[in-house]
Amino acid sequence: MTISSMMNMALSGMRTEQNRLATVAGNIANSGPGATTDAAAETDAEISLANELLTLKQAETGFGANALVFETGADLWDVLMSIKRD
């Protein structure tokens, strides 16, 4: 695996978690008595704020992990570039 492919995968993961965060934020913002999520609209299930907050925390953790991978890849790239210059 190359550094650039590692960084691309981390970037893709961050985009995925960003989309998850946006979905959860929309669900929470539109919640209220009797409100349903888009996915739950078919079954008329009510929004569980506890589940939404759990999903929010999972997305936050996933985004942070991918950001660390991306940062590590950038650090490795900098080290390689400094070695090449020497």
Side-chain angles (χ1 to χ4, degrees):
M1 177 180 289
T2 65
I3 293 174
S4 62
S5 66
M6 176 182 68
M7 291 175 71
N8 283 333
M9 285 194 314
L11 185 59
S12 175
M14 287 191 293
R15 286 183 185 133
T16 300
E17 298 303 341
Q18 181 181 14
N19 291 337
R20 249 175 104 182
L21 284 169
T23 301
V24 169
N27 288 344
I28 292 172
N30 295 322
S31 68
T36 59
T37 62
D38 292 339
E42 298 169 2
T43 61
D44 292 334
E46 289 191 13
I47 292 174
S48 169
L49 289 180
N51 285 339
E52 295 296 330
L53 291 175
L54 180 61
T55 303
L56 179 71
K57 188 62 178 171
Q58 290 170 339
E60 178 185 5
T61 302
F63 188 93
N66 282 299
L68 286 174
V69 170
F70 189 87
E71 185 177 344
T72 301
D75 291 344
L76 287 171
W77 189 261
D78 288 341
V79 168
L80 287 175
M81 290 298 107
S82 70
I83 290 172
K84 185 178 178 181
R85 286 184 226 132
D86 292 338

